[in-house]
Amino acid sequence: DLGFDIIDVNFGCPVKKVLGRCRGGFHLSQPDVAIEVLRRTREIVPDEIPVTVKMRRGIDDSDESRDKFFTILDGAIELGLAAATIHGRTVEQRYIGPSRWSFLKEVKQHVGDRINILGSGDLFTAQDCLDMIEQTSVDGVTVARGAIGNPWIFEQCLALATGNPLPEPPSLHRQAEVMREHFALCE
């Protein structure tokens, strides 16, 4: 009723205070509860509004964690979610160490065309975005920390994806303009 275009359920947040409240990435440890959250969300949100889920590859690198990840992902597919954003790090890793893009490739092979998979992790340049799509076959990418201080990554990625050269770096005037806009939005 508030006019949102999409509802994204976040089971990927690795922040300690979020995990301590049994939220975010914590749900990757309890597939039945996670699937119930997704089911109730899909039921309450009108059909014309997509529901998506964001996940990390598990709590940790154990086989049990991996199995729980795929149980939740398969549940999301059965519930008709529109997409899943998958981060190539575990909750335990937070932001340390490389994102495991090979896992994203495995996920895409597992789901085929049953759900759109968006990859996340270690996307700091426009070329990184295209490389992830090429190397993993994901349907798209989500840029998080790579956009901090570089909101131009999106237009740069579009240019490369459409076969155009990278745009010129933003002028100091353009950077200041964007900073003022961000400040106004924060206010």
Side-chain angles (χ1 to χ4, degrees):
D1 293 343
L2 296 174
F4 293 105
D5 297 319
I6 187 169
I7 301 297
D8 183 46
V9 180
N10 188 343
F11 292 157
C13 184
V15 175
K16 191 174 184 175
K17 69 179 179 180
V18 173
L19 298 173
R21 293 182 178 146
C22 302
R23 296 180 180 150
F26 177 83
H27 288 297
L28 297 177
S29 69
Q30 48 182 11
D32 292 341
V33 173
I35 291 169
E36 182 66 10
V37 168
L38 296 176
R39 184 186 67 74
R40 289 183 185 202
T41 304
R42 183 63 278 178
E43 284 177 356
I44 198 76
V45 174
D47 291 341
E48 64 273 10
I49 297 175
V51 174
T52 62
V53 64
K54 185 178 294 124
M55 302 167 59
R56 284 177 173 254
R57 73 171 199 264
I59 293 288
D60 55 32
D61 275 322
S62 68
D63 289 340
E64 179 185 13
S65 184
R66 175 188 171 80
D67 291 346
K68 289 177 178 180
F69 169 91
F70 280 105
T71 298
I72 296 167
L73 182 61
D74 289 342
I77 293 169
E78 289 175 25
L79 292 168
L81 269 63
T85 298
I86 310 299
H87 194 297
R89 286 188 192 89
T90 64
V91 172
E92 194 176 76
Q93 278 182 282
R94 292 191 171 94
Y95 305 103
I96 300 168
S99 176
R100 194 174 295 168
W101 290 10
S102 60
F103 183 76
L104 302 177
K105 183 175 186 172
E106 182 182 347
V107 167
K108 186 57 188 169
Q109 289 171 343
H110 174 80
V111 304
D113 292 331
R114 297 181 295 155
I115 191 171
N116 290 313
I117 298 295
L118 306 175
S120 180
D122 293 345
L123 301 173
F124 295 103
T125 69
Q127 189 60 55
D128 291 341
C129 298
L130 299 182
D131 289 347
M132 178 183 275
I133 292 170
E134 182 183 328
Q135 293 173 25
T136 67
S137 300
V138 294
D139 301 293
V141 298
T142 60
V143 178
R145 291 183 301 145
I148 297 172
N150 182 21
W152 301 277
I153 192 170
F154 304 104
E155 64 187 36
Q156 294 164 353
C157 190
L158 180 61
L160 288 181
T162 56
N164 293 309
L166 279 174
E168 289 293 319
S171 66
L172 287 177
H173 177 72
R174 174 102 194 273
Q175 291 177 46
E177 184 180 292
V178 168
M179 290 170 69
R180 281 190 292 274
E181 180 184 354
H182 285 190
F183 181 76
L185 291 169
C186 288
E187 272 189 321

